[in-house]
Amino acid sequence: MLRNSQLVLPAIYCNYKRKNILKFLPADLVDYMKEITSLNKNRNLQITNQISELNVLLKQNGINPIFIKGSCNLIQGLYEDPAERMIGDIDFLVSEKDYDLSVKILLDNNYKPVSNIDYNIPFRHYPRLFHKNYLAAVEIHKDMILEKYASEFNHTAIKNGIIQKNGFSVLSYDDQKALSIFSNQINDKGFEYKTIGLKNTYDFLLLNSKKPGIEFALRYNKLKKIIMCFLASVNYMVGDLALDIDNNQKVKWHLKIFKSFLHDPKKRKYYSKIVRIKFILVYRLKIILKSFIDKNYRTWL
């Protein structure tokens, strides 16, 4: 059974169609994939219009939003067919000094919090905002990755590489490749779970076709190992990427576990439960400790 939990069904359909191999699949499955892809394309066209209006609104108020992740990929034309990428939220990054003003601008223009709880969670992005006239919720980022690694990958680190695409500000290709990895391996805990996201893998491969190479990994200290482990896993999944992966002992150990989980779902499921419990305990302890010194954390707690 083909599952859509990885959010790549439209990408599979579009690529199979281009390769003329849909005829080898069951007709009802092809019809289902076609319908999902058509709906996603219409949704993405509407989201693109929403991104354009957000871009204009913020620039009119002196804010330069840097669109990231799926939003960035969509507006820069990364995909041969805009239907390929399933997008949940519109994500954009602003400098710390523009963060509060960006939130105010959207709130003043009829965007409202998705949650009714009235507080600002002091994490890397403002709580999701929605507008009744638009499809996608919006996340305003002051950071792109978890606090533990944010010192190596933040607005200051990427601002000199910002490029203009069709009137929008986006990350450099190197920074886009890095974020496609970090979003899955750090923010979604893929590194700890020893898994990779197919959506992030697909994005990385497309971005790497625009600017081949992994020299960007050399800029990092703690983050370099995460990049290499991800690439080693992708290399095993899709074939030789012809990239200069640093296969040191830590990377080899990570890949060994990745392979064992890939071929033993029961083992992976058990391991995932243990890791999830660990995250919950560490996460809650962190919130409790920070609540002693930060009012926002106390309110949230």
Side-chain angles (χ1 to χ4, degrees), residues 52-64:
S52 296
E53 293 185 22
L54 280 168
N55 191 48
V56 170
L57 173 64
L58 290 162
K59 285 189 172 182
Q60 285 176 342
N61 287 274
I63 305 293
N64 182 38

mmCIF file with all atom_site columns, all heavy atoms in Angstrom, residues 52-64:
data_model
loop_
_atom_site.group_PDB
_atom_site.id
_atom_site.type_symbol
_atom_site.label_atom_id
_atom_site.label_alt_id
_atom_site.label_comp_id
_atom_site.label_asym_id
_atom_site.label_entity_id
_atom_site.label_seq_id
_atom_site.pdbx_PDB_ins_code
_atom_site.Cartn_x
_atom_site.Cartn_y
_atom_site.Cartn_z
_atom_site.occupancy
_atom_site.B_iso_or_equiv
_atom_site.pdbx_formal_charge
_atom_site.auth_seq_id
_atom_site.auth_comp_id
_atom_site.auth_asym_id
_atom_site.auth_atom_id
_atom_site.pdbx_PDB_model_num
ATOM 1   N N   . SER A 1 52 ? 2.646  36.083 -2.165 1.00 0.00 ? 52 SER A N   1
ATOM 2   C CA  . SER A 1 52 ? 2.885  37.357 -2.856 1.00 0.00 ? 52 SER A CA  1
ATOM 3   C C   . SER A 1 52 ? 2.278  38.518 -2.082 1.00 0.00 ? 52 SER A C   1
ATOM 4   O O   . SER A 1 52 ? 2.903  39.578 -1.933 1.00 0.00 ? 52 SER A O   1
ATOM 5   C CB  . SER A 1 52 ? 2.290  37.305 -4.271 1.00 0.00 ? 52 SER A CB  1
ATOM 6   O OG  . SER A 1 52 ? 2.931  36.327 -5.057 1.00 0.00 ? 52 SER A OG  1
ATOM 7   N N   . GLU A 1 53 ? 1.066  38.322 -1.572 1.00 0.00 ? 53 GLU A N   1
ATOM 8   C CA  . GLU A 1 53 ? 0.408  39.391 -0.819 1.00 0.00 ? 53 GLU A CA  1
ATOM 9   C C   . GLU A 1 53 ? 1.116  39.651 0.505  1.00 0.00 ? 53 GLU A C   1
ATOM 10  O O   . GLU A 1 53 ? 1.233  40.806 0.939  1.00 0.00 ? 53 GLU A O   1
ATOM 11  C CB  . GLU A 1 53 ? -1.063 39.035 -0.608 1.00 0.00 ? 53 GLU A CB  1
ATOM 12  C CG  . GLU A 1 53 ? -1.852 39.012 -1.910 1.00 0.00 ? 53 GLU A CG  1
ATOM 13  C CD  . GLU A 1 53 ? -3.340 38.776 -1.701 1.00 0.00 ? 53 GLU A CD  1
ATOM 14  O OE1 . GLU A 1 53 ? -3.838 39.048 -0.582 1.00 0.00 ? 53 GLU A OE1 1
ATOM 15  O OE2 . GLU A 1 53 ? -4.007 38.326 -2.645 1.00 0.00 ? 53 GLU A OE2 1
ATOM 16  N N   . LEU A 1 54 ? 1.586  38.583 1.154  1.00 0.00 ? 54 LEU A N   1
ATOM 17  C CA  . LEU A 1 54 ? 2.359  38.765 2.384  1.00 0.00 ? 54 LEU A CA  1
ATOM 18  C C   . LEU A 1 54 ? 3.646  39.532 2.110  1.00 0.00 ? 54 LEU A C   1
ATOM 19  O O   . LEU A 1 54 ? 4.031  40.428 2.882  1.00 0.00 ? 54 LEU A O   1
ATOM 20  C CB  . LEU A 1 54 ? 2.694  37.403 2.998  1.00 0.00 ? 54 LEU A CB  1
ATOM 21  C CG  . LEU A 1 54 ? 1.613  36.701 3.811  1.00 0.00 ? 54 LEU A CG  1
ATOM 22  C CD1 . LEU A 1 54 ? 2.012  35.260 4.092  1.00 0.00 ? 54 LEU A CD1 1
ATOM 23  C CD2 . LEU A 1 54 ? 1.369  37.450 5.123  1.00 0.00 ? 54 LEU A CD2 1
ATOM 24  N N   . ASN A 1 55 ? 4.303  39.196 1.030  1.00 0.00 ? 55 ASN A N   1
ATOM 25  C CA  . ASN A 1 55 ? 5.557  39.845 0.657  1.00 0.00 ? 55 ASN A CA  1
ATOM 26  C C   . ASN A 1 55 ? 5.351  41.340 0.455  1.00 0.00 ? 55 ASN A C   1
ATOM 27  O O   . ASN A 1 55 ? 6.119  42.168 0.958  1.00 0.00 ? 55 ASN A O   1
ATOM 28  C CB  . ASN A 1 55 ? 6.099  39.205 -0.629 1.00 0.00 ? 55 ASN A CB  1
ATOM 29  C CG  . ASN A 1 55 ? 7.519  39.621 -0.949 1.00 0.00 ? 55 ASN A CG  1
ATOM 30  O OD1 . ASN A 1 55 ? 8.405  39.591 -0.092 1.00 0.00 ? 55 ASN A OD1 1
ATOM 31  N ND2 . ASN A 1 55 ? 7.751  40.015 -2.191 1.00 0.00 ? 55 ASN A ND2 1
ATOM 32  N N   . VAL A 1 56 ? 4.290  41.696 -0.263 1.00 0.00 ? 56 VAL A N   1
ATOM 33  C CA  . VAL A 1 56 ? 3.976  43.108 -0.510 1.00 0.00 ? 56 VAL A CA  1
ATOM 34  C C   . VAL A 1 56 ? 3.632  43.817 0.795  1.00 0.00 ? 56 VAL A C   1
ATOM 35  O O   . VAL A 1 56 ? 4.124  44.919 1.084  1.00 0.00 ? 56 VAL A O   1
ATOM 36  C CB  . VAL A 1 56 ? 2.811  43.241 -1.513 1.00 0.00 ? 56 VAL A CB  1
ATOM 37  C CG1 . VAL A 1 56 ? 2.323  44.687 -1.591 1.00 0.00 ? 56 VAL A CG1 1
ATOM 38  C CG2 . VAL A 1 56 ? 3.236  42.752 -2.897 1.00 0.00 ? 56 VAL A CG2 1
ATOM 39  N N   . LEU A 1 57 ? 2.775  43.190 1.602  1.00 0.00 ? 57 LEU A N   1
ATOM 40  C CA  . LEU A 1 57 ? 2.343  43.790 2.870  1.00 0.00 ? 57 LEU A CA  1
ATOM 41  C C   . LEU A 1 57 ? 3.519  44.097 3.778  1.00 0.00 ? 57 LEU A C   1
ATOM 42  O O   . LEU A 1 57 ? 3.634  45.205 4.328  1.00 0.00 ? 57 LEU A O   1
ATOM 43  C CB  . LEU A 1 57 ? 1.365  42.843 3.574  1.00 0.00 ? 57 LEU A CB  1
ATOM 44  C CG  . LEU A 1 57 ? 0.939  43.231 4.993  1.00 0.00 ? 57 LEU A CG  1
ATOM 45  C CD1 . LEU A 1 57 ? 0.169  44.547 4.986  1.00 0.00 ? 57 LEU A CD1 1
ATOM 46  C CD2 . LEU A 1 57 ? 0.104  42.117 5.626  1.00 0.00 ? 57 LEU A CD2 1
ATOM 47  N N   . LEU A 1 58 ? 4.418  43.150 3.940  1.00 0.00 ? 58 LEU A N   1
ATOM 48  C CA  . LEU A 1 58 ? 5.547  43.332 4.849  1.00 0.00 ? 58 LEU A CA  1
ATOM 49  C C   . LEU A 1 58 ? 6.541  44.349 4.303  1.00 0.00 ? 58 LEU A C   1
ATOM 50  O O   . LEU A 1 58 ? 7.060  45.191 5.055  1.00 0.00 ? 58 LEU A O   1
ATOM 51  C CB  . LEU A 1 58 ? 6.224  41.982 5.106  1.00 0.00 ? 58 LEU A CB  1
ATOM 52  C CG  . LEU A 1 58 ? 5.393  40.999 5.945  1.00 0.00 ? 58 LEU A CG  1
ATOM 53  C CD1 . LEU A 1 58 ? 5.904  39.581 5.792  1.00 0.00 ? 58 LEU A CD1 1
ATOM 54  C CD2 . LEU A 1 58 ? 5.390  41.415 7.413  1.00 0.00 ? 58 LEU A CD2 1
ATOM 55  N N   . LYS A 1 59 ? 6.801  44.307 3.013  1.00 0.00 ? 59 LYS A N   1
ATOM 56  C CA  . LYS A 1 59 ? 7.744  45.268 2.429  1.00 0.00 ? 59 LYS A CA  1
ATOM 57  C C   . LYS A 1 59 ? 7.199  46.689 2.498  1.00 0.00 ? 59 LYS A C   1
ATOM 58  O O   . LYS A 1 59 ? 7.966  47.647 2.659  1.00 0.00 ? 59 LYS A O   1
ATOM 59  C CB  . LYS A 1 59 ? 8.067  44.877 0.987  1.00 0.00 ? 59 LYS A CB  1
ATOM 60  C CG  . LYS A 1 59 ? 9.010  43.687 0.881  1.00 0.00 ? 59 LYS A CG  1
ATOM 61  C CD  . LYS A 1 59 ? 9.490  43.449 -0.537 1.00 0.00 ? 59 LYS A CD  1
ATOM 62  C CE  . LYS A 1 59 ? 10.574 42.376 -0.578 1.00 0.00 ? 59 LYS A CE  1
ATOM 63  N NZ  . LYS A 1 59 ? 11.088 42.149 -1.947 1.00 0.00 ? 59 LYS A NZ  1
ATOM 64  N N   . GLN A 1 60 ? 5.899  46.839 2.379  1.00 0.00 ? 60 GLN A N   1
ATOM 65  C CA  . GLN A 1 60 ? 5.294  48.164 2.519  1.00 0.00 ? 60 GLN A CA  1
ATOM 66  C C   . GLN A 1 60 ? 5.513  48.742 3.909  1.00 0.00 ? 60 GLN A C   1
ATOM 67  O O   . GLN A 1 60 ? 5.479  49.959 4.101  1.00 0.00 ? 60 GLN A O   1
ATOM 68  C CB  . GLN A 1 60 ? 3.793  48.087 2.221  1.00 0.00 ? 60 GLN A CB  1
ATOM 69  C CG  . GLN A 1 60 ? 3.449  47.951 0.748  1.00 0.00 ? 60 GLN A CG  1
ATOM 70  C CD  . GLN A 1 60 ? 1.963  47.775 0.509  1.00 0.00 ? 60 GLN A CD  1
ATOM 71  O OE1 . GLN A 1 60 ? 1.199  47.429 1.432  1.00 0.00 ? 60 GLN A OE1 1
ATOM 72  N NE2 . GLN A 1 60 ? 1.527  48.010 -0.712 1.00 0.00 ? 60 GLN A NE2 1
ATOM 73  N N   . ASN A 1 61 ? 5.740  47.863 4.873  1.00 0.00 ? 61 ASN A N   1
ATOM 74  C CA  . ASN A 1 61 ? 5.968  48.292 6.256  1.00 0.00 ? 61 ASN A CA  1
ATOM 75  C C   . ASN A 1 61 ? 7.438  48.196 6.663  1.00 0.00 ? 61 ASN A C   1
ATOM 76  O O   . ASN A 1 61 ? 7.759  48.191 7.853  1.00 0.00 ? 61 ASN A O   1
ATOM 77  C CB  . ASN A 1 61 ? 5.113  47.444 7.196  1.00 0.00 ? 61 ASN A CB  1
ATOM 78  C CG  . ASN A 1 61 ? 3.636  47.794 7.125  1.00 0.00 ? 61 ASN A CG  1
ATOM 79  O OD1 . ASN A 1 61 ? 3.174  48.701 7.807  1.00 0.00 ? 61 ASN A OD1 1
ATOM 80  N ND2 . ASN A 1 61 ? 2.899  47.079 6.276  1.00 0.00 ? 61 ASN A ND2 1
ATOM 81  N N   . GLY A 1 62 ? 8.306  48.129 5.674  1.00 0.00 ? 62 GLY A N   1
ATOM 82  C CA  . GLY A 1 62 ? 9.739  48.157 5.947  1.00 0.00 ? 62 GLY A CA  1
ATOM 83  C C   . GLY A 1 62 ? 10.353 46.848 6.401  1.00 0.00 ? 62 GLY A C   1
ATOM 84  O O   . GLY A 1 62 ? 11.482 46.830 6.904  1.00 0.00 ? 62 GLY A O   1
ATOM 85  N N   . ILE A 1 63 ? 9.635  45.738 6.216  1.00 0.00 ? 63 ILE A N   1
ATOM 86  C CA  . ILE A 1 63 ? 10.136 44.423 6.617  1.00 0.00 ? 63 ILE A CA  1
ATOM 87  C C   . ILE A 1 63 ? 10.520 43.634 5.368  1.00 0.00 ? 63 ILE A C   1
ATOM 88  O O   . ILE A 1 63 ? 9.770  43.614 4.391  1.00 0.00 ? 63 ILE A O   1
ATOM 89  C CB  . ILE A 1 63 ? 9.071  43.627 7.395  1.00 0.00 ? 63 ILE A CB  1
ATOM 90  C CG1 . ILE A 1 63 ? 8.561  44.426 8.605  1.00 0.00 ? 63 ILE A CG1 1
ATOM 91  C CG2 . ILE A 1 63 ? 9.637  42.270 7.830  1.00 0.00 ? 63 ILE A CG2 1
ATOM 92  C CD1 . ILE A 1 63 ? 9.573  44.655 9.672  1.00 0.00 ? 63 ILE A CD1 1
ATOM 93  N N   . ASN A 1 64 ? 11.683 42.998 5.398  1.00 0.00 ? 64 ASN A N   1
ATOM 94  C CA  . ASN A 1 64 ? 12.105 42.159 4.286  1.00 0.00 ? 64 ASN A CA  1
ATOM 95  C C   . ASN A 1 64 ? 11.995 40.689 4.701  1.00 0.00 ? 64 ASN A C   1
ATOM 96  O O   . ASN A 1 64 ? 12.919 40.141 5.306  1.00 0.00 ? 64 ASN A O   1
ATOM 97  C CB  . ASN A 1 64 ? 13.546 42.475 3.875  1.00 0.00 ? 64 ASN A CB  1
ATOM 98  C CG  . ASN A 1 64 ? 13.991 41.648 2.690  1.00 0.00 ? 64 ASN A CG  1
ATOM 99  O OD1 . ASN A 1 64 ? 13.212 41.391 1.767  1.00 0.00 ? 64 ASN A OD1 1
ATOM 100 N ND2 . ASN A 1 64 ? 15.241 41.215 2.690  1.00 0.00 ? 64 ASN A ND2 1
#
